[in-house]
Amino acid sequence: MADTAKIDYKNIFYPPGGILLWIIIYLELLTFGIALVFMALNARTEPEVFHESRMLLNTAYGAINTVFLLSSGWCMAQSVHFLKTENFGKSKLFLKLTLLGGILFLALKSVEYYDKVEAGLTVGYNVFFGYYWTLTLFHVIHVIVGIVILLVLGRTLSKKPETLKVEDYESGAAFWHMCDLIWLLLFPIIYLLF
Amino acid sequence: MERTFNATWLVLIVLTIISAVFANLDFAYAALIILGLSFLKFIGVAFFFMELKRANVFWRVLLVAFVVLLLTVVWAV
């Protein structure tokens, strides 16, 4: 690796993944958080609509997708660990498993979206589904961006692992974990709460 | 390190299953429990998978404060 120098994570300017990525993470969480608060406020004025709409969602799909993302996050953490110990083979293997988790998430989400469109539960169906489509699609875009970032990192890891910086790899991993964090807020509130 | 990741993953999966079970129960405090479990999962991913536990206290406090505030507001409104 080009830079294996020990990073002082306790320094406020060097959180794992880099300060820039963490600023992005907080801004993303804040954006989704504000939308979820507005969703909860709307649910207060139309509790029946929100409850009936929530019951139209497939909780099993949401729970399975949570398992896919959490497992993918576990693989990503392992991949970073093996990169730091310069075990590039295992790092690559876990990166591929991470990507598989992301692709499975997108595949199941596509099935879920297809079911909803077939049933006529589109973005304009009611307020609840407006939030459902907006928030989950926005999250899906993040997952797709995360997959692209991991593919780029994976290419370097396969071709020139010695040039890959731990900081860059940690930043990519932090972005991927951010998708987990966002989903861990969306799943309980959209699929389970109302 | 690997053991920590494995244990974290197992706990997260168990918490996800418990959340899904509580969502299907007609129980007064189900919402509170679901949000509490999602707080634990959120912290699990951030502190162990993202290794925030090794970061400066500023980043840790900021994240915990954010998620506590958000889930409290969502529950309270």
Side-chain angles (χ1 to χ4, degrees):
Chain A
M1 276 179 289
D3 189 1
T4 52
K6 293 265 182 213
I7 304 163
D8 178 18
Y9 294 119
K10 289 287 176 202
N11 184 323
I12 194 168
F13 299 109
Y14 296 98
I19 191 166
L20 186 63
L21 216 288
W22 273 99
I23 290 169
I24 292 170
I25 289 171
Y26 284 107
L27 289 174
E28 293 281 359
L29 289 174
L30 193 64
T31 308
F32 277 95
I34 290 168
L36 288 170
V37 168
F38 274 98
M39 187 180 188
L41 282 169
N42 278 327
R44 197 179 177 187
T45 56
E46 298 178 73
E48 293 86 12
V49 171
F50 271 68
H51 179 67
E52 283 162 18
S53 301
R54 195 278 279 183
M55 297 305 282
L56 293 172
L57 297 182
N58 193 323
T59 310
Y61 283 173
I64 294 167
N65 260 342
T66 306
V67 172
F68 284 155
L69 276 191
L70 290 175
S71 303
S72 177
W74 171 76
C75 292
M76 191 69 242
Q78 296 278 23
S79 181
V80 173
H81 167 67
F82 284 118
L83 184 87
K84 284 178 180 173
T85 54
E86 302 200 15
N87 188 340
F88 299 125
K90 274 198 169 181
S91 181
K92 222 176 346 182
L93 172 70
F94 277 106
L95 183 66
K96 283 177 185 168
L97 291 172
T98 304
L99 284 164
L100 178 67
I103 289 163
L104 286 172
F105 175 88
L106 291 179
L108 189 56
K109 208 89 199 97
S110 304
V111 172
E112 186 183 343
Y113 283 160
Y114 181 79
D115 287 351
K116 294 289 162 286
V117 172
E118 281 286 289
L121 304 170
T122 53
V123 69
Y125 184 74
N126 62 23
V127 186
F128 176 89
F129 278 99
Y131 280 108
Y132 164 81
W133 282 101
T134 309
L135 291 172
T136 60
L137 270 175
F138 194 32
H139 176 257
V140 162
I141 292 168
H142 284 76
V143 173
I144 293 168
V145 172
I147 287 175
V148 173
I149 291 170
L150 295 186
L151 284 172
V152 172
L153 289 171
R155 195 162 175 261
T156 313
L157 186 59
S158 295
K159 296 196 170 174
K160 291 179 183 172
E162 66 284 352
T163 63
L164 194 57
K165 287 185 179 179
V166 171
E167 296 95 313
D168 294 343
Y169 205 70
E170 278 187 331
S171 295
F175 188 92
W176 187 252
H177 291 305
M178 180 189 75
C179 297
D180 280 17
L181 292 183
I182 295 169
W183 182 252
L184 288 176
L185 296 176
L186 295 186
F187 171 62
I189 295 173
I190 297 176
Y191 287 74
L192 308 178
L193 199 61
F194 303 113
Chain B
M1 187 65 87
E2 282 179 77
R3 256 191 206 173
T4 309
F5 290 149
N6 295 345
T8 305
W9 177 79
L10 193 65
V11 170
L12 292 171
I13 298 300
V14 170
L15 292 179
T16 302
I17 294 165
I18 295 172
S19 300
V21 169
F22 269 104
N24 294 314
L25 294 179
D26 193 17
F27 170 56
Y29 294 103
L32 189 62
I33 290 170
I34 289 166
L35 292 176
L37 293 172
S38 86
F39 167 77
L40 293 176
K41 286 190 281 180
F42 190 95
I43 294 300
V45 169
F47 277 61
F48 295 99
F49 287 172
M50 300 173 93
E51 298 192 73
L52 200 67
K53 63 178 178 173
R54 295 165 62 197
N56 184 281
V57 67
F58 169 79
W59 298 104
R60 286 181 273 154
V61 169
L62 197 63
L63 196 77
V64 173
F66 165 79
V67 72
V68 167
L69 185 67
L70 173 67
L71 295 178
T72 306
V73 170
V74 167
W75 179 68
V77 295

PDB file of all heavy atoms in Angstrom, chain A residues 53-74:
ATOM      1  N   SER A  53     -51.852   2.518   4.948  1.00  0.00           N
ATOM      2  CA  SER A  53     -50.823   2.499   3.894  1.00  0.00           C
ATOM      3  C   SER A  53     -49.618   1.683   4.334  1.00  0.00           C
ATOM      4  O   SER A  53     -49.056   0.908   3.559  1.00  0.00           O
ATOM      5  CB  SER A  53     -50.374   3.915   3.557  1.00  0.00           C
ATOM      6  OG  SER A  53     -51.462   4.674   3.118  1.00  0.00           O
ATOM      7  N   ARG A  54     -49.254   1.845   5.599  1.00  0.00           N
ATOM      8  CA  ARG A  54     -48.108   1.084   6.120  1.00  0.00           C
ATOM      9  C   ARG A  54     -48.382  -0.416   6.042  1.00  0.00           C
ATOM     10  O   ARG A  54     -47.494  -1.214   5.731  1.00  0.00           O
ATOM     11  CB  ARG A  54     -47.876   1.512   7.581  1.00  0.00           C
ATOM     12  CG  ARG A  54     -46.550   1.118   8.179  1.00  0.00           C
ATOM     13  CD  ARG A  54     -46.485  -0.287   8.703  1.00  0.00           C
ATOM     14  NE  ARG A  54     -47.064  -0.459  10.027  1.00  0.00           N
ATOM     15  CZ  ARG A  54     -47.046  -1.613  10.677  1.00  0.00           C
ATOM     16  NH1 ARG A  54     -46.485  -2.689  10.152  1.00  0.00           N
ATOM     17  NH2 ARG A  54     -47.611  -1.724  11.862  1.00  0.00           N
ATOM     18  N   MET A  55     -49.654  -0.778   6.293  1.00  0.00           N
ATOM     19  CA  MET A  55     -50.017  -2.200   6.243  1.00  0.00           C
ATOM     20  C   MET A  55     -49.945  -2.750   4.812  1.00  0.00           C
ATOM     21  O   MET A  55     -49.916  -3.962   4.614  1.00  0.00           O
ATOM     22  CB  MET A  55     -51.431  -2.415   6.815  1.00  0.00           C
ATOM     23  CG  MET A  55     -51.553  -2.053   8.294  1.00  0.00           C
ATOM     24  SD  MET A  55     -50.372  -2.903   9.351  1.00  0.00           S
ATOM     25  CE  MET A  55     -51.135  -4.505   9.476  1.00  0.00           C
ATOM     26  N   LEU A  56     -49.938  -1.852   3.814  1.00  0.00           N
ATOM     27  CA  LEU A  56     -49.825  -2.301   2.414  1.00  0.00           C
ATOM     28  C   LEU A  56     -48.373  -2.604   2.036  1.00  0.00           C
ATOM     29  O   LEU A  56     -48.104  -3.157   0.977  1.00  0.00           O
ATOM     30  CB  LEU A  56     -50.394  -1.231   1.467  1.00  0.00           C
ATOM     31  CG  LEU A  56     -51.906  -0.983   1.564  1.00  0.00           C
ATOM     32  CD1 LEU A  56     -52.283   0.223   0.717  1.00  0.00           C
ATOM     33  CD2 LEU A  56     -52.689  -2.204   1.119  1.00  0.00           C
ATOM     34  N   LEU A  57     -47.433  -2.201   2.901  1.00  0.00           N
ATOM     35  CA  LEU A  57     -46.025  -2.486   2.614  1.00  0.00           C
ATOM     36  C   LEU A  57     -45.698  -3.911   3.053  1.00  0.00           C
ATOM     37  O   LEU A  57     -46.332  -4.458   3.945  1.00  0.00           O
ATOM     38  CB  LEU A  57     -45.117  -1.507   3.361  1.00  0.00           C
ATOM     39  CG  LEU A  57     -45.229  -0.030   2.994  1.00  0.00           C
ATOM     40  CD1 LEU A  57     -44.208   0.774   3.801  1.00  0.00           C
ATOM     41  CD2 LEU A  57     -44.968   0.186   1.507  1.00  0.00           C
ATOM     42  N   ASN A  58     -44.712  -4.472   2.399  1.00  0.00           N
ATOM     43  CA  ASN A  58     -44.296  -5.830   2.732  1.00  0.00           C
ATOM     44  C   ASN A  58     -43.143  -5.756   3.749  1.00  0.00           C
ATOM     45  O   ASN A  58     -41.997  -5.496   3.378  1.00  0.00           O
ATOM     46  CB  ASN A  58     -43.856  -6.554   1.446  1.00  0.00           C
ATOM     47  CG  ASN A  58     -43.711  -8.040   1.658  1.00  0.00           C
ATOM     48  OD1 ASN A  58     -43.277  -8.467   2.718  1.00  0.00           O
ATOM     49  ND2 ASN A  58     -44.076  -8.823   0.651  1.00  0.00           N
ATOM     50  N   THR A  59     -43.501  -5.995   5.023  1.00  0.00           N
ATOM     51  CA  THR A  59     -42.495  -5.903   6.093  1.00  0.00           C
ATOM     52  C   THR A  59     -41.371  -6.914   5.885  1.00  0.00           C
ATOM     53  O   THR A  59     -40.209  -6.641   6.199  1.00  0.00           O
ATOM     54  CB  THR A  59     -43.161  -6.142   7.462  1.00  0.00           C
ATOM     55  OG1 THR A  59     -44.301  -5.308   7.551  1.00  0.00           O
ATOM     56  CG2 THR A  59     -42.230  -5.822   8.605  1.00  0.00           C
ATOM     57  N   ALA A  60     -41.743  -8.091   5.350  1.00  0.00           N
ATOM     58  CA  ALA A  60     -40.727  -9.137   5.134  1.00  0.00           C
ATOM     59  C   ALA A  60     -39.661  -8.653   4.153  1.00  0.00           C
ATOM     60  O   ALA A  60     -38.458  -8.869   4.380  1.00  0.00           O
ATOM     61  CB  ALA A  60     -41.395 -10.402   4.610  1.00  0.00           C
ATOM     62  N   TYR A  61     -40.099  -7.988   3.073  1.00  0.00           N
ATOM     63  CA  TYR A  61     -39.127  -7.432   2.110  1.00  0.00           C
ATOM     64  C   TYR A  61     -38.179  -6.452   2.822  1.00  0.00           C
ATOM     65  O   TYR A  61     -36.969  -6.491   2.622  1.00  0.00           O
ATOM     66  CB  TYR A  61     -39.836  -6.688   0.977  1.00  0.00           C
ATOM     67  CG  TYR A  61     -40.467  -7.540  -0.091  1.00  0.00           C
ATOM     68  CD1 TYR A  61     -41.266  -6.969  -1.083  1.00  0.00           C
ATOM     69  CD2 TYR A  61     -40.259  -8.915  -0.135  1.00  0.00           C
ATOM     70  CE1 TYR A  61     -41.854  -7.733  -2.072  1.00  0.00           C
ATOM     71  CE2 TYR A  61     -40.846  -9.690  -1.123  1.00  0.00           C
ATOM     72  CZ  TYR A  61     -41.645  -9.090  -2.087  1.00  0.00           C
ATOM     73  OH  TYR A  61     -42.227  -9.848  -3.064  1.00  0.00           O
ATOM     74  N   GLY A  62     -38.776  -5.582   3.638  1.00  0.00           N
ATOM     75  CA  GLY A  62     -37.975  -4.576   4.344  1.00  0.00           C
ATOM     76  C   GLY A  62     -36.982  -5.224   5.297  1.00  0.00           C
ATOM     77  O   GLY A  62     -35.818  -4.828   5.362  1.00  0.00           O
ATOM     78  N   ALA A  63     -37.458  -6.260   6.024  1.00  0.00           N
ATOM     79  CA  ALA A  63     -36.581  -6.945   6.991  1.00  0.00           C
ATOM     80  C   ALA A  63     -35.453  -7.696   6.264  1.00  0.00           C
ATOM     81  O   ALA A  63     -34.297  -7.656   6.692  1.00  0.00           O
ATOM     82  CB  ALA A  63     -37.403  -7.899   7.845  1.00  0.00           C
ATOM     83  N   ILE A  64     -35.813  -8.368   5.158  1.00  0.00           N
ATOM     84  CA  ILE A  64     -34.779  -9.107   4.395  1.00  0.00           C
ATOM     85  C   ILE A  64     -33.753  -8.129   3.827  1.00  0.00           C
ATOM     86  O   ILE A  64     -32.544  -8.388   3.861  1.00  0.00           O
ATOM     87  CB  ILE A  64     -35.427  -9.963   3.278  1.00  0.00           C
ATOM     88  CG1 ILE A  64     -36.277 -11.080   3.889  1.00  0.00           C
ATOM     89  CG2 ILE A  64     -34.357 -10.562   2.352  1.00  0.00           C
ATOM     90  CD1 ILE A  64     -37.198 -11.780   2.917  1.00  0.00           C
ATOM     91  N   ASN A  65     -34.235  -6.994   3.347  1.00  0.00           N
ATOM     92  CA  ASN A  65     -33.304  -5.989   2.822  1.00  0.00           C
ATOM     93  C   ASN A  65     -32.400  -5.430   3.922  1.00  0.00           C
ATOM     94  O   ASN A  65     -31.236  -5.111   3.662  1.00  0.00           O
ATOM     95  CB  ASN A  65     -34.078  -4.853   2.139  1.00  0.00           C
ATOM     96  CG  ASN A  65     -34.080  -5.020   0.638  1.00  0.00           C
ATOM     97  OD1 ASN A  65     -33.253  -5.750   0.093  1.00  0.00           O
ATOM     98  ND2 ASN A  65     -34.989  -4.364  -0.037  1.00  0.00           N
ATOM     99  N   THR A  66     -32.941  -5.338   5.135  1.00  0.00           N
ATOM    100  CA  THR A  66     -32.105  -4.907   6.261  1.00  0.00           C
ATOM    101  C   THR A  66     -30.990  -5.927   6.492  1.00  0.00           C
ATOM    102  O   THR A  66     -29.826  -5.560   6.698  1.00  0.00           O
ATOM    103  CB  THR A  66     -32.953  -4.757   7.545  1.00  0.00           C
ATOM    104  OG1 THR A  66     -34.054  -3.893   7.254  1.00  0.00           O
ATOM    105  CG2 THR A  66     -32.143  -4.181   8.694  1.00  0.00           C
ATOM    106  N   VAL A  67     -31.356  -7.200   6.433  1.00  0.00           N
ATOM    107  CA  VAL A  67     -30.347  -8.266   6.608  1.00  0.00           C
ATOM    108  C   VAL A  67     -29.296  -8.183   5.496  1.00  0.00           C
ATOM    109  O   VAL A  67     -28.090  -8.311   5.766  1.00  0.00           O
ATOM    110  CB  VAL A  67     -31.037  -9.658   6.633  1.00  0.00           C
ATOM    111  CG1 VAL A  67     -29.991 -10.783   6.612  1.00  0.00           C
ATOM    112  CG2 VAL A  67     -31.918  -9.785   7.864  1.00  0.00           C
ATOM    113  N   PHE A  68     -29.740  -7.949   4.253  1.00  0.00           N
ATOM    114  CA  PHE A  68     -28.782  -7.820   3.133  1.00  0.00           C
ATOM    115  C   PHE A  68     -27.794  -6.684   3.397  1.00  0.00           C
ATOM    116  O   PHE A  68     -26.584  -6.851   3.252  1.00  0.00           O
ATOM    117  CB  PHE A  68     -29.506  -7.540   1.814  1.00  0.00           C
ATOM    118  CG  PHE A  68     -30.180  -8.743   1.205  1.00  0.00           C
ATOM    119  CD1 PHE A  68     -31.268  -8.590   0.340  1.00  0.00           C
ATOM    120  CD2 PHE A  68     -29.729 -10.030   1.461  1.00  0.00           C
ATOM    121  CE1 PHE A  68     -31.891  -9.692  -0.229  1.00  0.00           C
ATOM    122  CE2 PHE A  68     -30.348 -11.147   0.892  1.00  0.00           C
ATOM    123  CZ  PHE A  68     -31.439 -10.959   0.053  1.00  0.00           C
ATOM    124  N   LEU A  69     -28.317  -5.528   3.803  1.00  0.00           N
ATOM    125  CA  LEU A  69     -27.436  -4.363   4.004  1.00  0.00           C
ATOM    126  C   LEU A  69     -26.520  -4.533   5.208  1.00  0.00           C
ATOM    127  O   LEU A  69     -25.344  -4.181   5.155  1.00  0.00           O
ATOM    128  CB  LEU A  69     -28.260  -3.079   4.152  1.00  0.00           C
ATOM    129  CG  LEU A  69     -28.694  -2.382   2.865  1.00  0.00           C
ATOM    130  CD1 LEU A  69     -29.257  -1.008   3.169  1.00  0.00           C
ATOM    131  CD2 LEU A  69     -27.561  -2.236   1.861  1.00  0.00           C
ATOM    132  N   LEU A  70     -27.059  -5.103   6.295  1.00  0.00           N
ATOM    133  CA  LEU A  70     -26.215  -5.316   7.485  1.00  0.00           C
ATOM    134  C   LEU A  70     -25.112  -6.335   7.190  1.00  0.00           C
ATOM    135  O   LEU A  70     -23.965  -6.157   7.607  1.00  0.00           O
ATOM    136  CB  LEU A  70     -27.068  -5.783   8.668  1.00  0.00           C
ATOM    137  CG  LEU A  70     -28.005  -4.741   9.273  1.00  0.00           C
ATOM    138  CD1 LEU A  70     -28.879  -5.370  10.355  1.00  0.00           C
ATOM    139  CD2 LEU A  70     -27.227  -3.570   9.851  1.00  0.00           C
ATOM    140  N   SER A  71     -25.466  -7.382   6.442  1.00  0.00           N
ATOM    141  CA  SER A  71     -24.463  -8.397   6.087  1.00  0.00           C
ATOM    142  C   SER A  71     -23.420  -7.797   5.152  1.00  0.00           C
ATOM    143  O   SER A  71     -22.219  -8.086   5.265  1.00  0.00           O
ATOM    144  CB  SER A  71     -25.135  -9.601   5.412  1.00  0.00           C
ATOM    145  OG  SER A  71     -26.122 -10.119   6.262  1.00  0.00           O
ATOM    146  N   SER A  72     -23.890  -6.959   4.243  1.00  0.00           N
ATOM    147  CA  SER A  72     -22.989  -6.275   3.326  1.00  0.00           C
ATOM    148  C   SER A  72     -22.043  -5.356   4.107  1.00  0.00           C
ATOM    149  O   SER A  72     -20.835  -5.297   3.819  1.00  0.00           O
ATOM    150  CB  SER A  72     -23.836  -5.477   2.332  1.00  0.00           C
ATOM    151  OG  SER A  72     -23.037  -4.759   1.484  1.00  0.00           O
ATOM    152  N   GLY A  73     -22.578  -4.672   5.108  1.00  0.00           N
ATOM    153  CA  GLY A  73     -21.766  -3.794   5.961  1.00  0.00           C
ATOM    154  C   GLY A  73     -20.718  -4.586   6.737  1.00  0.00           C
ATOM    155  O   GLY A  73     -19.573  -4.151   6.890  1.00  0.00           O
ATOM    156  N   TRP A  74     -21.122  -5.761   7.202  1.00  0.00           N
ATOM    157  CA  TRP A  74     -20.173  -6.647   7.918  1.00  0.00           C
ATOM    158  C   TRP A  74     -19.026  -7.042   6.980  1.00  0.00           C
ATOM    159  O   TRP A  74     -17.852  -7.001   7.373  1.00  0.00           O
ATOM    160  CB  TRP A  74     -20.931  -7.884   8.423  1.00  0.00           C
ATOM    161  CG  TRP A  74     -20.061  -8.964   8.969  1.00  0.00           C
ATOM    162  CD1 TRP A  74     -19.431  -8.963  10.182  1.00  0.00           C
ATOM    163  CD2 TRP A  74     -19.716 -10.194   8.330  1.00  0.00           C
ATOM    164  NE1 TRP A  74     -18.715 -10.124  10.325  1.00  0.00           N
ATOM    165  CE2 TRP A  74     -18.872 -10.897   9.220  1.00  0.00           C
ATOM    166  CE3 TRP A  74     -20.040 -10.782   7.108  1.00  0.00           C
ATOM    167  CZ2 TRP A  74     -18.346 -12.152   8.913  1.00  0.00           C
ATOM    168  CZ3 TRP A  74     -19.519 -12.028   6.799  1.00  0.00           C
ATOM    169  CH2 TRP A  74     -18.683 -12.701   7.681  1.00  0.00           C
TER     170      TRP A  74
END
